[in-house]
Each structure stands twice: as C-alpha cells, then as structure tokens.
Amino acid sequence: MRRRSHRLWAALGAVAAVVVAAPLAVAAPQGGLAEGGSAEAAASDVDALARPAFRMPFRCDQVWTGSNWNGHSPAHSIDWNHYDANGNPDDLGRVVLASAGGRVVSSHYSTTTGYGNTIVIDHGDGWRTRYAHLRSRGVAVGAQVTRGQRIGTVGATSAKYNLSPHLHYEQIHNGSVVVSVVQGVRWSDFLKRTQRSTNNC
C-alpha cells in the first residue's frame, strides 16, 4: 500500500511539473498588438471584425470608379462614378443597391446639408451606410432591406451645391464616418481607383 502511495505521489508530481513548466497555449485575439503594433491599428482591426461584409452599392459586375479625394467632406466618404466604353460618364439614373442588409433610418431630401436625396441604413452594432445625391429614393423610413435590394438611383441632388451625377457613399461606425471596407478592399484616404461589384452576383 505504501509503495502504491509513493508511486501515485510521484506520478502526480511529474504531471504538476509539466503543467507548470509548459507555456500556456492561448489563441491571440485578432487585432491584438503585434510587435511594433499600435493601439490605433488594433482598434481598427477590431472594428473590421465587427464590420458587416459590405458590398458595392451597384449591380453585379458593374465597374465603378471611386474617389475619396483630399478635402472631401466628410473625410473617408467615397464618390462613385460610372463610365461607358468610351470613357464618358453615364451615372445618372443607375440603380443603387443596399450594400448590406438592415433597417432604413432616414430617407429624405436634406435642405440643411449638401446631401440632397439621402438614405441611411442601420446595419446593427453601431454600423450604418449613407447614400446621398440620389435622383430617386425607393425605400421609406422603417423599411427592412436586404443586401442587394434596390433603394434608389444615382443623381446630382443637393440644396447647396451644383453637382455632376455621382453616388456619395459613407460607412459610419458609432456616429463617425470611417474608412470604408468594400468587398474586403480597404479604401484608404485620397484614393481613386476602380472596383467591380459582387453585389447580388
């Protein structure tokens, strides 16, 4: 009996030594600080994890040019334009789709800002999208929309400015316009580039 007891204590001691000596294997949270990382970058990564999978607000396979030029108000917003095969703008009246599902919290003509015909969709968890300068609005406040649902058409409406047709687009988190991520592509500030829509494909 004494021998068994000694063996049992020896075995337990060996297990305890392994547990104490072995490093803890803990999955590092995405967005944690890597070596040389910053708290700002980590916060950005955390936001990206919670961000809905936004698609371009246009029909499948359409290629649009986006620009978030220096001095654009508000910062981080994107102006989208479409061009025909000859390079001529042909945005006016093109269909605008919801870039993610949610509830329409605003659908109105703004007389106090330069937005003109505007739609704002709430996607939950503090995320919203704004679509402005629309020629027409096809959804009312309170409507539930799905990603890819038609919500309006591209226009040039504004109570303050004389504009050429385009879609003004914002991704908003907790009340602030943020750098957009569209179909996994991050739209850093002061970019102009094209992107092909995968909405409703």
Side-chain angles (χ1 to χ4, degrees), residues 1 16 46 106 110 155 186-187:
M1 188 74 169
V46 170
S106 180
S110 174
R186 185 175 176 82
W187 279 79

Side-chain angles (χ1 to χ4, degrees), residues 123-166:
H123 308 286
D125 294 326
W127 288 98
R128 293 183 171 192
T129 47
R130 176 180 281 122
Y131 313 78
H133 309 313
L134 299 167
R135 183 182 197 179
S136 65
R137 293 176 281 115
V139 289
V141 171
Q144 289 290 332
V145 297
T146 57
R147 185 178 70 196
Q149 181 175 330
R150 178 181 175 142
I151 59 171
T153 57
V154 175
T157 60
S158 174
K160 290 188 170 186
Y161 309 111
N162 186 14
L163 304 171
S164 57
H166 68 279

